[in-house]
Amino acid sequence: MTEEATWRVYALDSMTHLSTLSPDWCFCRRAAVRQQRLGSSYHSSHAPFFVSVDTPNLLRPPLVDGPLNATASLMRAARFSRLLLFAWGWLVASAQPVRVALGHRASRARRRAESASAPLVQGYGTHFAYLWVGTPPQRVSVIVDTGSSITAFPCTGCAGCGSHTDPYFQLTSSASLTEFHCAQGRDCDLAVEQVRCAHGQCVLGQRYAEGSSWAAQQVRDVVWIGAEEGAEANANLAINFTFACQTSETGLFISQLADGIMGMMRRGSNLAIQLKDQGKIDAKGFSLCFRSGGGFMTLGGTDASHHVTPMQYASDRIENGWYTVQVLEIRVGGAKVEIGNEVYNEGKGIIVDSGTTDTYLPRKCAAHFEKAWLEATGSTYSVRMLRLSEDEMLQLPVVSFTLQGAAGGPGVVVEMAPEDYMEAQTESTYVSRLYLNEPMGGVLGANFMRNHDVHFDLDNGRVGFAKSACIQPE
């Protein structure tokens, strides 16, 4: 049997009430970590080391259609607590579709790409991509997180940083690496906020809600996003990119499968916007297409060739920071959740966050959601383990979300099929990963995005959704 525990940390200024904070100042997320006797599962809630809390990814086993093996069962992590973000530069995305090429040196890049896609691998509930870094190139795996703002991974000498998919990045092996040497921070890359000068180096760090942390040195090198094997294709996408070279880690972050994190929040240090700024792609935008077991990412826009339905665009309410949509209504099967839409959109609002494994709705709507579920199914809604056959699970209702359309357009309906919100524990048991306990607002996590191509269109302030099998086009 597993035990689910929940931590909540509010790292707020003593003069600031949670409900008054804008998305630029606060992430409110809860970290739920299931444990068994043989070990504990994942959590990596990142926070600025010098100020407060930003939380990357709570990791858990993949959403699967069959039984999980014992190891995967141990590694479930429901989600991240995100708290106060005083510190980081928030990453933005850029560009028109660019089919990702693996390059060697930034100096080789001569032509502008039109589209770039890269495969995504499913980790413990989150998806990660492969970066190729340095000269000669070294492979690094990074969780793709639209809810955080910095790219970071362990480098040689990182103290207690655990074992991941790849060896630690070796600084001394890269002929193209630049270390920042500073005097009072004046020579650091300030696209990442709160970096500081210490002993002539630009340093930064993050602390996690449950106590884990990492510290890092700021460096710059040639970076491109590519495939799992080989580093020769699409050298035209290699750019000079600043990242955090981790020197220490503590806590559960040590256990994650991927080496590090790639924040895709809307801030200038985002890899996608850097590709646009350095002339590699033409438009600010990227898309993520998640499926069970993998998926792919498109930089510079979206590739409609794999869409099952046309892309529909919801309005992105916030110009800088999180990707925030407005929920107009939710239906369980045909039964409407009878509550005013202002309840969904209070506080930080509803954010689309690829770094959160599950989906969370405000607790104010819980009784109304449960009533709609009872009407649709004749049974009581529960997030406890249910004994169901696969056929019975697939007969559960679709949960549909109507979002405010972009530019005054019609509402956008995004459906969560039962196989998206129900997670298999064994061949005959399932657990719902749609929670009704967020204090204010909500999080549409990776399971909400599943089987959709989600386009983060920064040029036009909108987030698009198209149904897809999320198999990368040839």
Side-chain angles (χ1 to χ4, degrees), residues 202-468:
C202 299
V203 298
L204 64 163
Q206 292 186 326
R207 188 177 300 280
Y208 309 106
E210 93 307 329
S212 301
S213 65
W214 58 256
Q217 174 188 359
Q218 191 180 58
V219 300
R220 179 180 293 150
D221 208 337
V222 177
V223 173
W224 62 96
I225 186 170
E228 182 176 2
E229 301 295 338
E232 288 73 37
N234 294 333
N236 59 304
L237 288 181
I239 61 171
N240 292 310
F241 184 66
T242 300
F243 57 91
C245 196
Q246 293 173 334
T247 55
S248 68
E249 289 177 350
T250 67
L252 294 172
F253 190 85
I254 296 168
S255 305
Q256 69 178 39
L257 180 60
D259 302 318
I261 186 111
M262 180 171 68
M264 296 300 292
M265 191 183 287
R266 288 181 297 179
R267 292 285 174 161
S269 53
N270 179 316
L271 177 62
I273 203 169
Q274 286 295 311
L275 284 166
K276 170 65 167 61
D277 289 348
Q278 296 186 42
K280 302 298 181 180
I281 47 183
D282 293 328
K284 294 180 181 179
F286 64 96
S287 64
L288 300 174
C289 206
F290 293 166
R291 59 177 170 81
S292 178
F296 67 98
M297 176 181 187
T298 304
L299 290 163
T302 185
D303 181 350
S305 68
H306 63 95
H307 293 171
V308 176
T309 61
M311 183 72 73
Q312 298 183 78
Y313 286 96
S315 178
D316 188 353
R317 298 174 57 201
I318 308 298
E319 294 183 359
N320 206 8
W322 303 323
Y323 303 101
T324 308
V325 295
Q326 183 172 4
V327 173
L328 301 180
E329 75 169 28
I330 297 175
R331 289 184 176 269
V332 180
K336 181 181 177 181
V337 179
E338 296 289 353
I339 195 169
N341 64 42
E342 68 278 0
V343 171
Y344 302 123
N345 304 296
E346 289 180 332
K348 68 179 181 297
I350 301 287
I351 66 173
V352 182
D353 184 0
S354 63
T356 293
T357 301
D358 303 325
T359 290
Y360 293 77
L361 298 178
R363 59 187 173 212
K364 284 184 181 180
C365 80
H368 305 276
F369 184 96
E370 291 163 356
K371 181 180 179 181
W373 182 274
L374 181 63
E375 180 181 336
T377 67
S379 62
T380 302
Y381 183 74
S382 174
V383 294
R384 295 181 178 180
M385 188 178 297
L386 301 176
R387 187 167 296 279
L388 299 168
S389 69
E390 182 179 4
D391 287 342
E392 288 173 327
M393 181 275 292
L394 292 173
Q395 294 303 310
L396 292 174
V398 169
V399 180
S400 60
F401 296 70
T402 301
L403 312 179
Q404 176 66 56
V412 174
V413 178
V414 182
E415 295 181 341
M416 288 187 78
E419 59 265 36
D420 297 330
Y421 64 81
M422 297 298 291
E423 180 187 79
Q425 304 299 293
T426 69
E427 289 183 348
S428 60
T429 58
Y430 293 83
V431 172
S432 175
R433 298 302 178 195
L434 198 166
Y435 295 93
L436 309 172
N437 54 5
E438 192 73 2
M440 298 183 94
V443 180
L444 306 178
N447 64 349
F448 176 85
M449 298 169 64
R450 188 182 179 195
N451 297 322
H452 290 84
D453 191 27
V454 183
H455 180 205
F456 299 87
D457 183 359
L458 291 124
D459 280 332
N460 297 296
R462 57 187 188 170
V463 180
F465 298 86
K467 288 185 178 180
S468 172

Side-chain angles (χ1 to χ4, degrees), residues 36-296:
Q36 287 187 342
R37 289 180 300 165
L38 297 179
S40 61
S41 60
Y42 264 75
H43 174 214
S44 59
S45 74
H46 296 185
F49 184 75
F50 304 114
V51 184
S52 194
V53 183
D54 165 25
T55 319
N57 308 353
L58 216 182
L59 308 180
R60 65 172 175 80
L63 298 170
V64 297
D65 297 324
L68 299 176
N69 62 39
T71 301
S73 297
L74 291 175
M75 300 303 293
R76 154 79 171 81
R79 70 181 302 226
F80 284 108
S81 269
R82 290 202 187 261
L83 293 161
L84 203 53
L85 250 169
F86 282 105
W88 302 114
W90 311 45
L91 298 180
V92 184
S94 55
Q96 254 178 13
V98 184
R99 204 156 274 193
V100 157
L102 309 178
H104 199 147
R105 290 175 177 268
S107 60
R108 292 184 182 180
R110 290 290 181 259
R111 67 178 178 83
R112 185 187 298 271
E114 294 180 356
S115 68
S117 66
L120 297 174
V121 180
Q122 185 155 5
Y124 304 124
T126 57
H127 289 69
F128 63 84
Y130 290 106
L131 299 179
W132 292 86
V133 184
T135 308
Q138 302 172 50
R139 196 185 75 172
V140 175
S141 61
V142 286
I143 294 163
V144 181
D145 184 16
T146 60
S148 68
S149 61
I150 191 167
T151 296
F153 46 83
C155 295
T156 302
C158 190
C161 291
S163 177
H164 309 291
T165 61
D166 299 278
Y168 298 168
F169 180 72
Q170 299 181 36
L171 286 79
T172 57
S173 297
S174 177
S176 50
L177 182 95
T178 298
E179 295 186 60
F180 291 95
H181 298 285
C182 58
Q184 299 180 351
R186 288 193 300 270
D187 301 312
C188 301
D189 186 342
L190 298 180
V192 178
E193 298 174 11
Q194 296 298 321
V195 62
R196 65 186 180 94
C197 187
H199 308 293
Q201 292 184 331
C202 299
V203 298
L204 64 163
Q206 292 186 326
R207 188 177 300 280
Y208 309 106
E210 93 307 329
S212 301
S213 65
W214 58 256
Q217 174 188 359
Q218 191 180 58
V219 300
R220 179 180 293 150
D221 208 337
V222 177
V223 173
W224 62 96
I225 186 170
E228 182 176 2
E229 301 295 338
E232 288 73 37
N234 294 333
N236 59 304
L237 288 181
I239 61 171
N240 292 310
F241 184 66
T242 300
F243 57 91
C245 196
Q246 293 173 334
T247 55
S248 68
E249 289 177 350
T250 67
L252 294 172
F253 190 85
I254 296 168
S255 305
Q256 69 178 39
L257 180 60
D259 302 318
I261 186 111
M262 180 171 68
M264 296 300 292
M265 191 183 287
R266 288 181 297 179
R267 292 285 174 161
S269 53
N270 179 316
L271 177 62
I273 203 169
Q274 286 295 311
L275 284 166
K276 170 65 167 61
D277 289 348
Q278 296 186 42
K280 302 298 181 180
I281 47 183
D282 293 328
K284 294 180 181 179
F286 64 96
S287 64
L288 300 174
C289 206
F290 293 166
R291 59 177 170 81
S292 178
F296 67 98

